[in-house]
Amino acid sequence: MTPIDKLLADNKAWAAGIKADDPEYFERLSHLQTPEFLWIGCSDSRVPADRITGTQPGEIFVHRNIANMVVHTDVNLLSVLDFAVSHLKVRHVIVCGHYGCGGIKAAMTNHDYKYVLNMWLRNIKDVYRLHSRELDAIADPEDRADRLTELNVREQVMHLAKTSIIQRAWKEEQRPRLHGWVYGLKDGLIKPVFDMDAGSKLDPIYKYDDL
Ligand code: CO
């Protein structure tokens, strides 16, 4: 059996197992999704949003990219955010990074990863530059990467708050709450590092006053 055939066979077995437990499961879920959470996480295969939070299909709306970035020119991220916030009416948006993130580590080098990856990693280098004084003072490279991971999550949460999508929902419906988390590959535990309630203060230049 090829690895691809195995995926398909495992899918069949999974669907049969669910149906045996709960015959109406798929029929019920096919009618609507009302997730309470939007998850913006890293694409890393070791950080599956639903597995590590014990949630079921239908509970978390998910967007993943390298190093869980919120980039304001990323139409994919913005579409997911707009749909989740304005239509699905999620109550929480979670940006979840993880220690040992390859994207974070790559951005801390001076290596040329070529074209598109350089473009993406540039966004993480910008976060490093913002916090370079604190980061440069950390001698151990792994500790420095861990701290950048935390600071990056915090910056990405603040990037969410800079969008009119979030500011409009805050103004009209006092939601969603924004959360910055970091997942530990070594212990499987999530550490909350930063959050913003609806209506939190942000730098005035980013605040829309005519929404
Ligand atoms: Co990662």
Side-chain angles (χ1 to χ4, degrees), residues 156-164 166-167 170 178 196 202 206:
Q156 304 319 309
V157 168
M158 291 198 286
H159 281 170
L160 288 174
K162 291 171 191 170
T163 65
S164 57
I166 291 295
Q167 290 183 32
W170 277 4
L178 311 180
M196 291 179 91
L202 58 153
Y206 298 114

Side-chain angles (χ1 to χ4, degrees), residues 42-44 67-68 98 100-103:
C42 184
S43 298
D44 193 303
N68 41 271
H98 65 102
C101 182

Side-chain angles (χ1 to χ4, degrees), residues 41-47 65-68 96-105 149 185:
C42 184
S43 298
D44 193 303
S45 63
R46 298 164 295 179
V47 195
N65 62 41
I66 293 174
N68 41 271
C96 188
H98 65 102
Y99 297 119
C101 182
I104 295 285
K105 287 184 192 162
T149 300
L185 293 175

